[in-house]
């Protein structure tokens, strides 16, 4: 039985945990928030067959968070879930954001369940953070934490003077969530094809995803190395026939990522560097046009507090496609052709005012290669310790409708939310 | 008067001058250095639960509750801060490694997305979690940044104090600072920060001093302090509870592990 070691570890952890819970009193904390969020498209355009009219988002959301730990902190649990009513289509949903139980002893801990994890040093540009993202939430104006989706599996961490290790074993695949056609305009190579199927990686042992990070300080820098084995989280599309497709299958090809990141103080600020190689295992030669080619990704960033309560962050992010010549040769006629190199520069300005009750921020990204942009201005006001409100906008634009930001040009929206924490 | 006759007189004069010079004439910088030591670095380590009440002139009140752990490491210091309240920052943690001669290393943990990041925080005049205290007020201003003069000795609420004037050598958010330092405990009891108009802009007061006894040693500690923005009327009152010094905080409490998994033993 190949997987015996992991089952054994699971069993032992549960035994330790039950013992720890039984031996100690365990105080629980319940917290959460109520969130009302609305977002409206301001371009006057409505997606054909859309279900929201001018609305991209309209919901009431209740977050409940239960946290417990034994007094020693050895055994712990977290349940974080949302119930929400999508007012646009009058439907109620549940969303289990994060739930795990774990056991920690000395330098190590082990957790089972659904985990939200953020790796890497980029601000909205992710290289070694191979975990699923919810771009629908982000681009429709939900709070930023909703960009991250949980992964289901086992997480173990080990901390020491020499190296910290963070290991994930993820048996169940979660793809990224992209804005839906009912509420967003975006580029679809197969727009006219209605016969569609989706195939996620089967729940097989051989499809278990793993990701590991090794990190330590090296001469005042935070250095991390990453390795992951899993699948692209953005669907690839395979048509039955490239010349005259009648059906399209969405699928998630195999992907390995190897990378590194570094963060350190520099010139009065913090500088960040990150790079990775996206090894597209099902298309090593780059001759299958339906599967993304392997690519290099890199990022350089710098953040600095320019003056009191005012911070500037700037980044440059790039992707370089491997086997570009083969890609061009094998791309079917009439298909959108990606560039060999895609670069995006970004700027984030944050100003706190009036004892940090007001926060003004702007995130701006611009790609000189795609010739497109994304702007997200935001104003947040903390009315009291419990009540806060945010007004902001997502503004997209570009020369072409095929680029990442350019495709959303008709989906510019203004969002507003009110949140009560308890 | 012959030289021979006057020699004893000269010798006496020289002796007097030398004696005077050797008298422990308190110098302003060393008074402040001692004061910073007892105020910011007492004990080998420290733990405290801190309640900050932010009071607007109109009466609106906000509360921040955090646990602070500190450990001295030679002239360097390590701080760990874990927020309990308010809800929008609950579980957020800061780790600061402070060095006397260069920029601090600072990390933040954001629980909503489980992320540990370095943060840029160069401007030590930035508000500490939205309060009237700046980062500098919380961790100590570099003494060599100002010129210090001992103005006089004075009683402040029946306590003998040194009154020291500090003038920043380069542009700062105050033009002059007057400090009242308790002669006995070396704790700062009051500080006035003057603006360019020569008026008091911010006022620090030590409102309550308690003797915290840890491991048989007594540490006079300011357990309640206020920083008031005199111009706007906004004030922040900070209370320290559950204080202890020299509790043997392990090195691990000041690492990434602690950011992600707050040391339960110390933060309750």
């Amino acid at each position: 039985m190949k997987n015996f070691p992991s089952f054994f570890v699971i069993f032992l952890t549960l035994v330790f945990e039950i013992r720890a819970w039984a031996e100690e009193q365990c105080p629980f904390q319940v917290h959460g928030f109520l969130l009302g969020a609305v977002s409206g498209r301001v371009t006057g355009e409505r997606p054909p067959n859309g279900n929201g009219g001018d609305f991209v988002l309209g919901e009431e959301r209740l977050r409940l968070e239960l946290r417990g730990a034994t007094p020693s902190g050895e055994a712990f649990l977290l349940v974080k879930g949302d119930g929400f009513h999508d007012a646009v289509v009058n439907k109620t949903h549940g969303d289990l954001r994060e739930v795990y139980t774990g056991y920690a002893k000395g330098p190590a801990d082990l957790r089972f369940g659904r985990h939200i994890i953020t790796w890497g040093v980029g601000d909205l540009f992710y290289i070694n953070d191979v975990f699923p993202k919810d771009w629908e939430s982000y681009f429709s104006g939900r709070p930023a934490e909703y960009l991250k989706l949980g992964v289901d599996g086992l997480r173990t961490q080990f901390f020491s003077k020499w190296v910290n290790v963070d290991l994930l074993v993820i048996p169940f695949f979660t793809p990224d969530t992209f804005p839906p056609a009912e509420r967003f305009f975006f580029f679809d190579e197969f727009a006219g094809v209605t016969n569609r199927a989706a195939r996620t990686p089967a729940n097989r042992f051989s499809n278990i995803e793993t990701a590991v990070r090794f990190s330590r300080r090296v001469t005042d820098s935070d250095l991390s190395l990453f390795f992951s084995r899993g699948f692209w989280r953005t669907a690839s599309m395979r048509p039955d026939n490239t010349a005259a497709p009648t059906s399209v299958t969405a699928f998630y090809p195999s992907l390995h990522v190897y990378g590194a990141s570094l963060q350190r103080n520099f010139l009065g600020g913090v500088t960040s560097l990150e790079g990775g190689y996206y090894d597209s295992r099902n298309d090593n030669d780059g001759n299958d046009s339906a599967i993304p080619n392997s690519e290099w990704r890199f990022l350089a960033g710098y953040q600095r507090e320019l003056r009191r309560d005012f911070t500037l962050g700037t980044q440059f992010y790039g992707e370089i496609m491997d086997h570009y010549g083969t890609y061009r040769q094998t791309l079917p006629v009439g298909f959108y052709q990606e560039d060999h190199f895609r670069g995006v520069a970004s700027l984030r300005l944050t100003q706190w005012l009036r004892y940090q009750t007001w926060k003004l921020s702007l995130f701006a990204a611009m790609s000189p290669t795609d010739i497109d942009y994304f702007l997200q201005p935001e104003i947040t006001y903390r009315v009291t310790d419990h009540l806060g409100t945010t007004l902001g906008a997502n503004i997209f634009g570009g020369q072409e409708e095929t680029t990442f930001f350019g495709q959303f040009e008709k989906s510019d929206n203004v969002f507003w939310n009110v949140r009560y924490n308890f | 008067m012959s030289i021979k006759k006057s020699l004893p007189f000269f010798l006496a004069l020289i002796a007097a001058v030398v004696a005077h010079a050797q008298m422990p004439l308190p110098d302003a910088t060393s008074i402040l250095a001692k004061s910073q030591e007892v105020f910011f670095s007492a004990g080998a380590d420290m733990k405290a639960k801190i309640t900050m009440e932010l009071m607007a002139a109109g009466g609106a009140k906000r509360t921040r509750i955090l646990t602070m752990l500190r450990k001295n490491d030679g002239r360097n210091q390590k701080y760990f801060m874990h927020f309990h309240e308010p809800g929008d920052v609950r579980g957020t943690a800061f780790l600061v490694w402070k060095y006397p001669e260069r920029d601090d290393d600072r990390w933040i943990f954001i629980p909503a997305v489980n992320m540990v990041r370095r943060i840029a925080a160069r401007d030590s005049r930035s508000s500490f979690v939205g309060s009237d205290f700046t980062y500098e007020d919380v961790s100590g201003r570099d003494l060599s940044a100002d010129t210090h003069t001992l103005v006089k000795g004075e009683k402040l609420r029946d306590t003998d104090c040194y009154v020291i004037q500090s003038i920043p050598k380069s542009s700062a958010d105050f033009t002059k600072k007057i400090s009242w330092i308790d002669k006995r405990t070396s704790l700062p009891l009051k500080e006035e920060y003057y603006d360019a108009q020569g008026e008091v802009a911010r006022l620090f007061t030590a409102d309550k001093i308690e003797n915290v006894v840890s491991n048989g040693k007594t540490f006079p500690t300011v357990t309640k302090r206020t920083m008031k923005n005199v111009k706007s009327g906004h004030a922040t009152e900070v209370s320290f509870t559950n204080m202890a010094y020299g509790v043997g905080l392990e090195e691990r409490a000041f690492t990434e592990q602690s950011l992600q998994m707050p040391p339960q033993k110390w933060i309750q």
Side-chain angles (χ1 to χ4, degrees), chain A residues 146-167:
Chain A
Y146 287 95
L147 172 60
K148 302 289 301 186
L149 291 170
V151 287
D152 297 308
L154 173 154
R155 180 185 193 191
T156 180
Q157 294 191 91
F158 172 78
F159 299 90
S160 75
K161 251 185 193 165
W162 301 279
V163 67
N164 294 341
V165 185
D166 190 355
L167 172 73

PDB file of all heavy atoms in Angstrom, chain A residues 146-167:
ATOM      1  N   TYR A 146     -11.174  37.600  -0.727  1.00  0.00           N
ATOM      2  CA  TYR A 146     -11.912  36.614  -1.515  1.00  0.00           C
ATOM      3  C   TYR A 146     -11.196  36.214  -2.806  1.00  0.00           C
ATOM      4  O   TYR A 146     -11.640  35.319  -3.507  1.00  0.00           O
ATOM      5  CB  TYR A 146     -13.332  37.121  -1.818  1.00  0.00           C
ATOM      6  CG  TYR A 146     -14.205  37.071  -0.592  1.00  0.00           C
ATOM      7  CD1 TYR A 146     -14.377  38.187   0.218  1.00  0.00           C
ATOM      8  CD2 TYR A 146     -14.820  35.885  -0.211  1.00  0.00           C
ATOM      9  CE1 TYR A 146     -15.141  38.129   1.365  1.00  0.00           C
ATOM     10  CE2 TYR A 146     -15.590  35.818   0.940  1.00  0.00           C
ATOM     11  CZ  TYR A 146     -15.745  36.946   1.721  1.00  0.00           C
ATOM     12  OH  TYR A 146     -16.500  36.868   2.857  1.00  0.00           O
ATOM     13  N   LEU A 147     -10.095  36.877  -3.098  1.00  0.00           N
ATOM     14  CA  LEU A 147      -9.302  36.462  -4.254  1.00  0.00           C
ATOM     15  C   LEU A 147      -8.709  35.072  -4.025  1.00  0.00           C
ATOM     16  O   LEU A 147      -8.492  34.312  -4.965  1.00  0.00           O
ATOM     17  CB  LEU A 147      -8.181  37.486  -4.500  1.00  0.00           C
ATOM     18  CG  LEU A 147      -7.136  37.123  -5.555  1.00  0.00           C
ATOM     19  CD1 LEU A 147      -7.789  36.911  -6.922  1.00  0.00           C
ATOM     20  CD2 LEU A 147      -6.080  38.218  -5.655  1.00  0.00           C
ATOM     21  N   LYS A 148      -8.448  34.750  -2.779  1.00  0.00           N
ATOM     22  CA  LYS A 148      -7.826  33.468  -2.485  1.00  0.00           C
ATOM     23  C   LYS A 148      -8.878  32.408  -2.167  1.00  0.00           C
ATOM     24  O   LYS A 148      -9.784  32.644  -1.376  1.00  0.00           O
ATOM     25  CB  LYS A 148      -6.894  33.607  -1.273  1.00  0.00           C
ATOM     26  CG  LYS A 148      -5.788  34.626  -1.436  1.00  0.00           C
ATOM     27  CD  LYS A 148      -4.716  34.209  -2.401  1.00  0.00           C
ATOM     28  CE  LYS A 148      -4.061  32.914  -1.959  1.00  0.00           C
ATOM     29  NZ  LYS A 148      -2.919  32.568  -2.823  1.00  0.00           N
ATOM     30  N   LEU A 149      -8.711  31.263  -2.811  1.00  0.00           N
ATOM     31  CA  LEU A 149      -9.580  30.126  -2.525  1.00  0.00           C
ATOM     32  C   LEU A 149      -8.784  29.092  -1.736  1.00  0.00           C
ATOM     33  O   LEU A 149      -7.570  28.991  -1.878  1.00  0.00           O
ATOM     34  CB  LEU A 149     -10.071  29.496  -3.833  1.00  0.00           C
ATOM     35  CG  LEU A 149     -11.049  30.316  -4.662  1.00  0.00           C
ATOM     36  CD1 LEU A 149     -11.240  29.681  -6.033  1.00  0.00           C
ATOM     37  CD2 LEU A 149     -12.397  30.432  -3.943  1.00  0.00           C
ATOM     38  N   GLY A 150      -9.494  28.311  -0.947  1.00  0.00           N
ATOM     39  CA  GLY A 150      -8.819  27.296  -0.148  1.00  0.00           C
ATOM     40  C   GLY A 150      -8.459  26.067  -0.977  1.00  0.00           C
ATOM     41  O   GLY A 150      -9.041  25.821  -2.031  1.00  0.00           O
ATOM     42  N   VAL A 151      -7.482  25.320  -0.488  1.00  0.00           N
ATOM     43  CA  VAL A 151      -7.177  24.016  -1.083  1.00  0.00           C
ATOM     44  C   VAL A 151      -7.475  22.946  -0.035  1.00  0.00           C
ATOM     45  O   VAL A 151      -7.283  23.167   1.162  1.00  0.00           O
ATOM     46  CB  VAL A 151      -5.708  23.892  -1.545  1.00  0.00           C
ATOM     47  CG1 VAL A 151      -5.473  24.702  -2.794  1.00  0.00           C
ATOM     48  CG2 VAL A 151      -4.726  24.289  -0.448  1.00  0.00           C
ATOM     49  N   ASP A 152      -7.957  21.802  -0.521  1.00  0.00           N
ATOM     50  CA  ASP A 152      -8.341  20.733   0.395  1.00  0.00           C
ATOM     51  C   ASP A 152      -7.225  19.714   0.504  1.00  0.00           C
ATOM     52  O   ASP A 152      -6.825  19.129  -0.503  1.00  0.00           O
ATOM     53  CB  ASP A 152      -9.611  20.048  -0.119  1.00  0.00           C
ATOM     54  CG  ASP A 152     -10.777  21.010  -0.165  1.00  0.00           C
ATOM     55  OD1 ASP A 152     -11.037  21.651   0.865  1.00  0.00           O
ATOM     56  OD2 ASP A 152     -11.412  21.147  -1.231  1.00  0.00           O
ATOM     57  N   GLY A 153      -6.747  19.521   1.701  1.00  0.00           N
ATOM     58  CA  GLY A 153      -5.687  18.533   1.873  1.00  0.00           C
ATOM     59  C   GLY A 153      -4.991  18.638   3.207  1.00  0.00           C
ATOM     60  O   GLY A 153      -5.565  19.089   4.200  1.00  0.00           O
ATOM     61  N   LEU A 154      -3.750  18.272   3.177  1.00  0.00           N
ATOM     62  CA  LEU A 154      -2.941  18.217   4.387  1.00  0.00           C
ATOM     63  C   LEU A 154      -1.833  19.257   4.274  1.00  0.00           C
ATOM     64  O   LEU A 154      -1.235  19.421   3.217  1.00  0.00           O
ATOM     65  CB  LEU A 154      -2.370  16.807   4.477  1.00  0.00           C
ATOM     66  CG  LEU A 154      -1.340  16.419   5.530  1.00  0.00           C
ATOM     67  CD1 LEU A 154      -1.473  14.918   5.761  1.00  0.00           C
ATOM     68  CD2 LEU A 154       0.069  16.736   5.075  1.00  0.00           C
ATOM     69  N   ARG A 155      -1.600  19.943   5.378  1.00  0.00           N
ATOM     70  CA  ARG A 155      -0.511  20.913   5.379  1.00  0.00           C
ATOM     71  C   ARG A 155       0.371  20.644   6.592  1.00  0.00           C
ATOM     72  O   ARG A 155      -0.138  20.498   7.706  1.00  0.00           O
ATOM     73  CB  ARG A 155      -1.055  22.330   5.478  1.00  0.00           C
ATOM     74  CG  ARG A 155       0.027  23.380   5.477  1.00  0.00           C
ATOM     75  CD  ARG A 155      -0.517  24.784   5.686  1.00  0.00           C
ATOM     76  NE  ARG A 155       0.510  25.778   5.373  1.00  0.00           N
ATOM     77  CZ  ARG A 155       0.395  27.064   5.651  1.00  0.00           C
ATOM     78  NH1 ARG A 155      -0.683  27.523   6.227  1.00  0.00           N
ATOM     79  NH2 ARG A 155       1.361  27.902   5.338  1.00  0.00           N
ATOM     80  N   THR A 156       1.639  20.569   6.379  1.00  0.00           N
ATOM     81  CA  THR A 156       2.531  20.419   7.521  1.00  0.00           C
ATOM     82  C   THR A 156       3.663  21.430   7.407  1.00  0.00           C
ATOM     83  O   THR A 156       4.142  21.721   6.319  1.00  0.00           O
ATOM     84  CB  THR A 156       3.052  18.975   7.666  1.00  0.00           C
ATOM     85  OG1 THR A 156       3.915  18.923   8.798  1.00  0.00           O
ATOM     86  CG2 THR A 156       3.802  18.503   6.442  1.00  0.00           C
ATOM     87  N   GLN A 157       4.015  21.984   8.552  1.00  0.00           N
ATOM     88  CA  GLN A 157       5.096  22.961   8.570  1.00  0.00           C
ATOM     89  C   GLN A 157       6.119  22.549   9.609  1.00  0.00           C
ATOM     90  O   GLN A 157       5.779  21.995  10.650  1.00  0.00           O
ATOM     91  CB  GLN A 157       4.559  24.345   8.917  1.00  0.00           C
ATOM     92  CG  GLN A 157       3.649  24.913   7.868  1.00  0.00           C
ATOM     93  CD  GLN A 157       3.360  26.383   8.123  1.00  0.00           C
ATOM     94  OE1 GLN A 157       4.040  27.259   7.646  1.00  0.00           O
ATOM     95  NE2 GLN A 157       2.334  26.634   8.895  1.00  0.00           N
ATOM     96  N   PHE A 158       7.347  22.859   9.292  1.00  0.00           N
ATOM     97  CA  PHE A 158       8.423  22.586  10.221  1.00  0.00           C
ATOM     98  C   PHE A 158       9.316  23.816  10.258  1.00  0.00           C
ATOM     99  O   PHE A 158       9.722  24.338   9.221  1.00  0.00           O
ATOM    100  CB  PHE A 158       9.220  21.353   9.747  1.00  0.00           C
ATOM    101  CG  PHE A 158      10.461  21.121  10.548  1.00  0.00           C
ATOM    102  CD1 PHE A 158      10.393  20.540  11.807  1.00  0.00           C
ATOM    103  CD2 PHE A 158      11.704  21.497  10.055  1.00  0.00           C
ATOM    104  CE1 PHE A 158      11.537  20.341  12.558  1.00  0.00           C
ATOM    105  CE2 PHE A 158      12.859  21.307  10.809  1.00  0.00           C
ATOM    106  CZ  PHE A 158      12.773  20.724  12.064  1.00  0.00           C
ATOM    107  N   PHE A 159       9.568  24.299  11.469  1.00  0.00           N
ATOM    108  CA  PHE A 159      10.355  25.524  11.610  1.00  0.00           C
ATOM    109  C   PHE A 159      11.651  25.223  12.348  1.00  0.00           C
ATOM    110  O   PHE A 159      11.645  24.543  13.371  1.00  0.00           O
ATOM    111  CB  PHE A 159       9.574  26.557  12.423  1.00  0.00           C
ATOM    112  CG  PHE A 159       8.277  26.967  11.791  1.00  0.00           C
ATOM    113  CD1 PHE A 159       7.101  26.287  12.071  1.00  0.00           C
ATOM    114  CD2 PHE A 159       8.226  28.034  10.915  1.00  0.00           C
ATOM    115  CE1 PHE A 159       5.899  26.670  11.496  1.00  0.00           C
ATOM    116  CE2 PHE A 159       7.034  28.428  10.339  1.00  0.00           C
ATOM    117  CZ  PHE A 159       5.874  27.747  10.629  1.00  0.00           C
ATOM    118  N   SER A 160      12.738  25.716  11.828  1.00  0.00           N
ATOM    119  CA  SER A 160      14.000  25.560  12.554  1.00  0.00           C
ATOM    120  C   SER A 160      14.915  26.717  12.201  1.00  0.00           C
ATOM    121  O   SER A 160      14.614  27.529  11.329  1.00  0.00           O
ATOM    122  CB  SER A 160      14.661  24.231  12.209  1.00  0.00           C
ATOM    123  OG  SER A 160      15.233  24.310  10.916  1.00  0.00           O
ATOM    124  N   LYS A 161      16.027  26.784  12.864  1.00  0.00           N
ATOM    125  CA  LYS A 161      17.003  27.848  12.628  1.00  0.00           C
ATOM    126  C   LYS A 161      17.543  27.768  11.201  1.00  0.00           C
ATOM    127  O   LYS A 161      17.891  28.772  10.606  1.00  0.00           O
ATOM    128  CB  LYS A 161      18.176  27.663  13.584  1.00  0.00           C
ATOM    129  CG  LYS A 161      18.222  28.704  14.672  1.00  0.00           C
ATOM    130  CD  LYS A 161      19.473  28.508  15.497  1.00  0.00           C
ATOM    131  CE  LYS A 161      19.387  29.321  16.766  1.00  0.00           C
ATOM    132  NZ  LYS A 161      20.376  28.928  17.748  1.00  0.00           N
ATOM    133  N   TRP A 162      17.642  26.559  10.694  1.00  0.00           N
ATOM    134  CA  TRP A 162      18.299  26.370   9.403  1.00  0.00           C
ATOM    135  C   TRP A 162      17.340  26.538   8.248  1.00  0.00           C
ATOM    136  O   TRP A 162      17.653  27.142   7.254  1.00  0.00           O
ATOM    137  CB  TRP A 162      18.959  24.986   9.362  1.00  0.00           C
ATOM    138  CG  TRP A 162      19.946  24.862  10.469  1.00  0.00           C
ATOM    139  CD1 TRP A 162      21.219  25.346  10.486  1.00  0.00           C
ATOM    140  CD2 TRP A 162      19.725  24.281  11.762  1.00  0.00           C
ATOM    141  NE1 TRP A 162      21.804  25.093  11.706  1.00  0.00           N
ATOM    142  CE2 TRP A 162      20.924  24.442  12.504  1.00  0.00           C
ATOM    143  CE3 TRP A 162      18.633  23.638  12.364  1.00  0.00           C
ATOM    144  CZ2 TRP A 162      21.067  23.981  13.808  1.00  0.00           C
ATOM    145  CZ3 TRP A 162      18.762  23.184  13.669  1.00  0.00           C
ATOM    146  CH2 TRP A 162      19.972  23.349  14.373  1.00  0.00           C
ATOM    147  N   VAL A 163      16.159  25.985   8.417  1.00  0.00           N
ATOM    148  CA  VAL A 163      15.214  26.073   7.311  1.00  0.00           C
ATOM    149  C   VAL A 163      13.787  25.890   7.843  1.00  0.00           C
ATOM    150  O   VAL A 163      13.564  25.172   8.819  1.00  0.00           O
ATOM    151  CB  VAL A 163      15.549  25.019   6.224  1.00  0.00           C
ATOM    152  CG1 VAL A 163      15.331  23.598   6.711  1.00  0.00           C
ATOM    153  CG2 VAL A 163      14.771  25.266   4.941  1.00  0.00           C
ATOM    154  N   ASN A 164      12.854  26.600   7.219  1.00  0.00           N
ATOM    155  CA  ASN A 164      11.435  26.365   7.490  1.00  0.00           C
ATOM    156  C   ASN A 164      10.862  25.625   6.293  1.00  0.00           C
ATOM    157  O   ASN A 164      11.149  25.971   5.153  1.00  0.00           O
ATOM    158  CB  ASN A 164      10.672  27.683   7.653  1.00  0.00           C
ATOM    159  CG  ASN A 164      11.120  28.455   8.878  1.00  0.00           C
ATOM    160  OD1 ASN A 164      11.729  27.899   9.782  1.00  0.00           O
ATOM    161  ND2 ASN A 164      10.822  29.746   8.890  1.00  0.00           N
ATOM    162  N   VAL A 165      10.066  24.625   6.569  1.00  0.00           N
ATOM    163  CA  VAL A 165       9.482  23.842   5.490  1.00  0.00           C
ATOM    164  C   VAL A 165       7.963  23.919   5.593  1.00  0.00           C
ATOM    165  O   VAL A 165       7.406  23.801   6.670  1.00  0.00           O
ATOM    166  CB  VAL A 165       9.923  22.354   5.578  1.00  0.00           C
ATOM    167  CG1 VAL A 165       9.402  21.578   4.370  1.00  0.00           C
ATOM    168  CG2 VAL A 165      11.427  22.236   5.683  1.00  0.00           C
ATOM    169  N   ASP A 166       7.326  24.153   4.467  1.00  0.00           N
ATOM    170  CA  ASP A 166       5.864  24.200   4.404  1.00  0.00           C
ATOM    171  C   ASP A 166       5.469  23.229   3.297  1.00  0.00           C
ATOM    172  O   ASP A 166       5.835  23.430   2.134  1.00  0.00           O
ATOM    173  CB  ASP A 166       5.445  25.635   4.058  1.00  0.00           C
ATOM    174  CG  ASP A 166       3.950  25.852   4.214  1.00  0.00           C
ATOM    175  OD1 ASP A 166       3.220  24.881   4.489  1.00  0.00           O
ATOM    176  OD2 ASP A 166       3.510  27.014   4.056  1.00  0.00           O
ATOM    177  N   LEU A 167       4.784  22.170   3.650  1.00  0.00           N
ATOM    178  CA  LEU A 167       4.469  21.125   2.676  1.00  0.00           C
ATOM    179  C   LEU A 167       2.960  20.921   2.588  1.00  0.00           C
ATOM    180  O   LEU A 167       2.276  20.830   3.604  1.00  0.00           O
ATOM    181  CB  LEU A 167       5.139  19.809   3.092  1.00  0.00           C
ATOM    182  CG  LEU A 167       4.751  18.571   2.289  1.00  0.00           C
ATOM    183  CD1 LEU A 167       5.366  18.601   0.895  1.00  0.00           C
ATOM    184  CD2 LEU A 167       5.175  17.297   3.020  1.00  0.00           C
TER     185      LEU A 167
END
